[in-house]
Amino acid sequence: MDIKYEVPSAKEYIDLRIKTNMGEKKLLNTKIALENSIFIVSIWEDDKLIGFGRIIGDRGITYVISDIMVDPDYQGKGIGKIIMKEIDDYLEGNTDEDAYIILLAKKPADKLYSKFNFRYSEPDSCGMRRKQSNNDL
């Protein structure tokens, strides 16, 4: 197993999204998104992408943890923790106390994120998502 800090191909990323039930994305949009990431960590078994996570944002105040994925064939082996530890290390070294660091968790992944100092924002705030015309919520 290898940890890399480089952008996988858009196809590799999309294939992992599909395998982890996070949904397919358009190839061009995926290329743009990956190229504009602040930080990427990917986990590889030989030449196969088996884990992924990234940080997006403005590099100053707002950081969003996004796309934490582990191939179902490799889940339960601590790969999610490795990804989050790498992200946490990046944030510790590259942000300050004024940074606003957020994520939107699918359950039961919220249990993992709580180990890395993430807390529920309710009742003071709540997660919201804009409904796109072709995207039912």
Side-chain angles (χ1 to χ4, degrees):
M1 187 168 43
D2 294 316
I3 300 172
K4 297 182 182 179
Y5 309 97
E6 55 196 46
V7 179
S9 75
K11 181 173 178 352
E12 291 166 321
Y13 167 89
I14 291 168
D15 288 347
L16 187 59
R17 282 188 65 90
I18 292 167
K19 196 161 192 185
T20 58
N21 293 317
M22 289 187 64
E24 190 170 356
K25 296 292 181 188
K26 295 176 185 170
L27 191 62
L28 179 58
N29 291 350
T30 298
K31 288 178 182 178
I32 293 167
L34 292 174
E35 290 169 1
N36 285 290
S37 299
I38 293 174
F39 176 78
I40 286 179
V41 59
S42 54
I43 310 293
W44 299 80
E45 183 72 31
D46 299 318
D47 291 330
K48 180 182 177 185
L49 179 64
I50 62 170
F52 182 87
R54 68 186 181 125
I55 302 171
I56 59 177
D58 59 23
R59 297 183 188 270
I61 297 171
T62 303
Y63 298 80
V64 180
I65 312 307
S66 183
D67 301 331
I68 307 300
M69 303 181 278
V70 176
D71 183 315
D73 295 338
Y74 294 86
Q75 290 178 3
K77 298 180 181 192
I79 295 172
K81 287 180 187 172
I82 292 169
I83 293 167
M84 285 304 298
K85 173 77 169 90
E86 295 295 326
I87 287 173
D88 196 54
D89 288 349
Y90 176 88
L91 293 168
E92 285 294 319
N94 294 282
T95 64
D96 62 23
E97 65 278 355
D98 290 330
Y100 184 65
I101 302 168
I102 60 171
L103 60 78
L104 184 61
K106 287 187 175 182
K107 293 182 179 185
D110 56 326
K111 305 296 184 239
L112 170 64
Y113 305 133
S114 66
K115 295 175 183 174
F116 291 91
N117 240 358
F118 284 89
R119 302 292 176 257
Y120 297 101
S121 60
E122 295 173 339
D124 297 328
S125 60
C126 65
M128 297 183 77
R129 190 171 128 186
R130 183 177 185 270
K131 182 181 182 331
Q132 296 294 92
S133 60
N134 63 349
N135 183 8
D136 291 333
L137 293 181

